[in-house]
């Protein structure tokens, strides 16, 4: 399965916010790795899912998110 | 449709956390009203859904949540 790396801008205000994104990505099938930066407000995801599918997963957390 | 009121304990550290729970509940069909307290770490929901269904919705945010 081909994997791609996507970068998203995600509004995260504290470690509770970034932790929530972490917990949701952790249990998402098709996401092989990710890097969450509270400082840069970014989430970089390596996944076999599409860019939109990963965005939808992140948005499930209720955070404002968009493709960076 | 009969509505019930449920109280949940939800780990929220900042207004970004509580805002995320707010955005998710706002777009959930079957939830008629809710009250989120960052101070008390509680979410009170009035809904026609079951207690478990509402808990699952809250958990989608990635927050640690349980029935209070």
């Amino acid at each position: 399965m081909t994997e791609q790396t996507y970068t998203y801008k995600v509004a995260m205000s504290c470690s509770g916010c970034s932790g929530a994104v972490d917990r949701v990505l952790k249990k998402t099938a098709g996401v092989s790795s990710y890097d969450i930066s509270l400082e840069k407000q970014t989430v970089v995801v390596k996944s076999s899912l599409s860019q939109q599918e990963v965005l939808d997963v992140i948005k499930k957390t209720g955070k404002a998110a968009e493709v960076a």
Side-chain angles (χ1 to χ4, degrees), chain A:
Chain A
M1 208 149 33
T2 312
E3 294 203 323
Q4 288 199 275
T5 301
Y6 312 114
T7 302
Y8 303 90
K9 201 86 186 164
V10 183
M12 299 174 289
S13 326
C14 75
S15 59
C17 294
S18 55
V21 175
D22 178 67
R23 279 185 290 276
V24 168
L25 286 175
K26 190 180 294 176
K27 61 177 185 186
T28 302
V31 169
S32 55
S33 68
Y34 52 90
D35 184 65
I36 299 172
S37 171
L38 180 54
E39 192 195 349
K40 288 188 269 181
Q41 301 278 292
T42 55
V43 177
V44 178
V45 181
K46 194 172 166 186
S47 177
S48 56
L49 303 174
S50 75
Q51 189 181 49
Q52 183 62 45
E53 284 169 330
V54 174
L55 179 62
D56 290 344
V57 167
I58 295 172
K59 281 191 167 174
K60 271 190 196 160
T61 64
K63 302 294 177 195
E66 59 182 30
V67 174

